Each structure stands twice: as structure tokens, then as C-alpha cells.
Amino acid sequence: MEQQTEQLTFDFHTERANIVSESRDEIKLELGKFAGPLDLLLYLIKQEQANIFDIPIARITDEYLKYIRLMKSLDIALAGDFIVMAATLIEIKSKMLLPRELTHELDEEIEDPRQELVDRLLEYEKFKSAAQMLYSRATVEQAVFTRGQIESDENNAETNATVFDLITVFQKILARHKEEVQMEIRREEMSLSDMIKAMQQRIFQTNELNLLDFFREISTRSEIVLAFIAVLEIVRTESVKLLQEKTFGDIILRKA
Amino acid sequence: MTENEKQPRGVAELISIVEALIFVADEPVSAKTLADVLEEDRETVEAAIEGLVKEYETREGGLQLRSLAGGWQISTRTEFHEEIRAFLKTRPSAKLSLAALETLAVIAYKQPATVPEILEIRGVQSASAIKTLLDKRLIVSKGRKETVGRPMQYGTSKDFLIQFGLKDLSELPSIEDFEDLAQ
């Protein structure tokens, strides 16, 4: 459930479940989003206008289960935590049905099976209010603007790595490979799309790729040529940037 | 002007310089940083900032100077946000989800907080909310807790203070204050 709600914005006041109509044994709900089982439980307690210190467990459990079933029937993926809470509620309900043990001393306070849940609800409610406070603060802050960024080398490292810079790097690498004594044992043809894939993988793993390093790992001349074309192709088609921190420095491919 | 023949700066001049530096800084800038750069006493710089604050208050212009995340920042006054948005052609950016805000609240008040501690309070797994908060740099990891499972601990970041308009963490209302509110 969390997974789904994560990307959405919300409003504390509107995106709530609303009971649209209610008859004796049928309940129609407009589904809202709940941050978790405690959130749902608090909502149900408020709906029932029940006292949090004296929760009518049987009634609330029924409502809770109704809600869970409804979500299931609508194929809403339920977080396991909602099920855990359902089990907890049922456990409390059954404990309350059991006769109080007679072995207890008279003056000994018998703990209310609901106590732990009440404590958790109260604790959770505080943080829910705190979240609301943060929400209001963030809203106020959105009305405040600071000046736009002043351009500097630090925040704009995207100094133009031109085709010529690329060629220079390319030549450096070619020159180095010329000096090396090559011993080709196998002939492995790599296609341009293979090269692009390999490069993409590297970029997406680490977010950035030092081109010089990448070229260094390549052994054959034809692969270097492929790599060079691959760079041009990736920059053209993908959302990646070519960065060069300083003139003649290493060129880095970065995910935009 | 070399070190030796450096003239002491006048109060008005210092106020102007401080304003200029706060203006160009990307983030709220502290009195200490300003004092270091200007090679002035911290007290002198603080007095200059105070003078500047007064100027801003008296002028009641479009800008405000405020204390934020342990530093000082010049920003627009909230009153003009509609006009500014119309000019910049922007809309308020996406807000955090309910789950993310709750998780952030738990971390802000319980920091350093671990994943199990957040689960305990929220009653729900918060992994994706934590990831969102990390991505938005509102929280930072604070190392592992030396307990069973060595869970990662999280705390709020400087960006958190900036984005929520806080001088420091003590400016957050006490969590117990929400008790009465919740009832």
C-alpha cells in the first residue's frame, strides 16, 4: 500500500475515506488513503465517535475487518501490517470475552487487554499531528523564494565537452593502444547495440561513468571505435550529460 | 589593499558587506563564516547582522532576512508568493506523501531513529518512505545502532531545516504539545 501511495500528493482534509451511505448491514465507502493500520483505526474510532480510552473493541474490529475486506475485494494491495492489526484486534476481542481470572488478588489491577493498543494509538496520534505541523510548515515555506542560482564552475560543471574534446580523448586512447603489443587470441565481434547496452548498464549502476576509465578497459581498436560512437549515440538519445570539470580533464557521462 | 594597511570598516559599511555576502550565498550563511571571511570578530559581525535585520524590518520591502538552519538567508516575503509564481510561471512543487511526512516526523523527534523504531510508532513498514526522504535529502543516515541486527539510524539534515523554515531542531514544538491537540 505504501508503495502505491508514495508518489502521490495528498491533502490532510480531502483524501480520506468517506462513508457515503450506511444502512444496517451495508456500508459504502469512498476509499481514501491511510498511512497505516493505526491511521485507519483512529479514523474508525472517530467515525464511531468512540472514546479512545474505552474503545468498543467488538464494533471497531467489525468495522476494521469490513474495511479490509472491501479493500481486498477492490484488489487493493494490502500491506501485511494491516493484516497484523486485524489479528491484534481479534486477539483483544477474544481476550475481553474471556472471564477474568479468579486467581488474581482483588487489589491487583487487572490489565485491560486494550491498554497496549490504546498506548500505541495515542503515541501514533502525536506523530500524526506532528506530520500535519510539518505539512503546514512546508506549505508556508513554498511561499518563500530565494534568489536563483548564481552560475559558477562548481554548480555548472557542464562546460562544453565538444566533439573535439571527445576526439582528443579518443586519440589519446588510440595512441596508447598502438604502443601496446597486441596479442589477439580470439575474435569477438561486438555490435554497436551491445556496446551501448554495456555503457548504459554502467551508467545506471553508478550514475556516472568516467569515459577514460571505460575506454581503458577496452582491448581492441574496433571496440574503441564502437565505444566512441556509442557515447555519441547515448548522449543524443538518452538523458545523460557529458561533463568535463576542467579543461582537458576527464570526461564523465552522468545521468541527467 | 594589503593586510598591514587594512582600514577598520565602519559599521554601515560592514552592514552592507554582510548583506552582499548573505545575498550571494547559496545556503543560509552563519555569522561565524562571515566573520572568518571578513576577518572580523564574531560579535562585530553579529552586531552588523542585527543592524541589517532592523533595516529589513523598517523597510518592509519585498525581501526578508531570516535566521535559518543556523545561518542567515535573504528571501522574498511570503505575502508576494502569488505574484512571484505568476512571474516565474511555477507551481508549488509536489508535496510529500502522508507516509513520508509521518516517517519524517518520527525521525525528526526520535533521532537518531531506526527502521524498527519507526515501524513501532507508525505500525507500518516505512522502507519506501525512508527512501523518498533520503532521495530528497531531508534525512541522512547516522550510522548503525549497536543492537540486535545493527539497524541503520536516521536523522534530519540541514536541508530539512531549510525546507521547513527552522532555525534549528529546538524550534520544533515539543512532541508532548501534540498530546492535547490530538485529543
Side-chain angles (χ1 to χ4, degrees), chain A residues 222-255:
Chain A
S222 64
E223 276 179 18
I224 293 173
V225 175
L226 274 180
F228 182 65
I229 301 171
V231 172
L232 296 177
E233 197 61 21
I234 284 176
V235 172
R236 189 177 68 84
T237 57
E238 303 267 353
S239 50
V240 292
K241 289 194 291 194
L242 276 176
L243 304 177
Q244 191 180 34
E245 306 273 343
K246 54 177 191 284
T247 318
F248 304 122
D250 290 357
I251 295 177
I252 288 161
L253 262 181
R254 186 176 295 161
K255 243 169 98 181

Side-chain angles (χ1 to χ4, degrees), chain A residues 52-203:
Chain A
I52 195 163
F53 293 102
D54 186 19
I55 303 171
I57 278 291
R59 211 162 78 220
I60 293 293
T61 304
D62 284 352
E63 292 297 324
Y64 186 91
L65 293 177
K66 241 183 233 170
Y67 208 98
I68 297 282
R69 275 188 213 109
L70 186 71
M71 286 204 258
K72 272 196 167 160
S73 69
L74 292 173
D75 269 344
I76 293 174
L78 268 186
D81 307 288
F82 280 88
I83 311 292
V84 172
M85 178 57 73
T88 310
L89 285 172
I90 293 167
E91 191 195 352
I92 296 172
K93 186 177 156 186
S94 54
K95 267 190 189 157
M96 293 194 57
L97 291 172
L98 289 176
R100 299 281 154 98
E101 278 187 49
L102 298 168
T103 49
H104 279 292
E105 299 281 326
L106 271 179
D107 56 350
E108 196 182 319
E109 194 73 44
I110 301 167
E111 212 199 315
D112 190 327
R114 296 172 295 184
Q115 194 54 50
E116 200 194 317
L117 182 64
V118 172
D119 290 344
R120 282 188 68 191
L121 279 170
L122 290 175
E123 180 77 354
Y124 168 72
E125 207 172 23
K126 279 192 285 181
F127 286 94
K128 196 167 133 71
S129 308
Q132 189 154 5
M133 176 274 298
L134 288 178
Y135 174 81
S136 333
R137 287 204 81 103
T139 309
V140 171
E141 282 309 304
Q142 288 207 331
V144 173
F145 296 80
T146 53
R147 64 155 176 75
Q149 234 181 20
I150 292 175
E151 201 152 302
S152 71
D153 283 351
E154 207 174 304
N155 60 37
N156 187 12
E158 202 181 359
T159 34
N160 314 318
T162 63
V163 177
F164 299 106
D165 294 322
L166 275 177
I167 289 173
T168 314
V169 176
F170 179 54
Q171 274 173 342
K172 262 196 241 170
I173 296 150
L174 270 188
R176 199 174 46 242
H177 275 271
K178 214 179 268 174
E179 290 156 18
E180 285 170 12
V181 184
Q182 292 272 342
M183 239 184 37
E184 274 191 55
I185 352 173
R186 63 207 155 92
R187 192 180 167 85
E188 214 172 30
E189 284 291 318
M190 204 176 184
S191 71
L192 178 60
S193 63
D194 289 344
M195 183 57 81
I196 291 176
K197 256 183 220 146
M199 210 171 261
Q200 278 169 335
Q201 236 171 23
R202 288 280 294 272
I203 297 169

Side-chain angles (χ1 to χ4, degrees), chain B residues 104-173:
Chain B
L104 185 59
V106 176
I107 292 171
Y109 280 100
K110 292 271 175 179
Q111 56 186 310
T114 64
V115 171
E117 283 161 4
I118 298 165
L119 170 66
E120 174 64 27
I121 292 174
R122 292 195 57 224
V124 69
Q125 298 289 339
S126 311
S128 63
I130 288 171
K131 194 183 167 299
T132 306
L133 296 173
L134 281 171
D135 286 349
K136 290 191 183 284
R137 293 165 193 233
L138 292 169
I139 58 168
V140 286
S141 84
K142 299 262 180 193
R144 293 187 180 276
K145 190 171 180 177
E146 291 306 326
T147 177
V148 185
R150 300 187 70 237
M152 191 63 90
Q153 304 179 104
Y154 299 98
T156 52
S157 65
K158 190 175 174 185
D159 274 9
F160 166 76
L161 296 176
I162 296 173
Q163 289 194 30
F164 288 86
L166 295 161
K167 243 184 250 189
D168 50 49
L169 285 174
S170 70
E171 215 192 333
L172 282 174

Side-chain angles (χ1 to χ4, degrees), chain B residues 94-111:
Chain B
K95 285 164 190 156
L96 289 169
S97 70
L98 186 53
L101 269 173
E102 274 186 21
T103 308
L104 185 59
V106 176
I107 292 171
Y109 280 100
K110 292 271 175 179
Q111 56 186 310

Side-chain angles (χ1 to χ4, degrees), chain B residues 49-97:
Chain B
I49 293 172
E50 219 166 285
L52 192 58
V53 169
K54 284 211 183 80
E55 281 184 13
Y56 270 75
E57 279 168 5
T58 335
R59 186 168 162 259
E60 283 187 33
L63 300 176
Q64 59 177 347
L65 175 65
R66 51 179 201 157
S67 169
L68 197 65
W72 293 88
Q73 187 188 57
I74 292 172
S75 62
T76 61
R77 291 233 313 265
T78 49
E79 292 94 308
F80 311 120
H81 70 103
E82 278 176 22
E83 292 84 349
I84 294 167
R85 285 214 182 282
F87 174 72
L88 293 174
K89 298 190 178 71
T90 64
R91 281 188 295 169
S93 52
K95 285 164 190 156
L96 289 169
S97 70

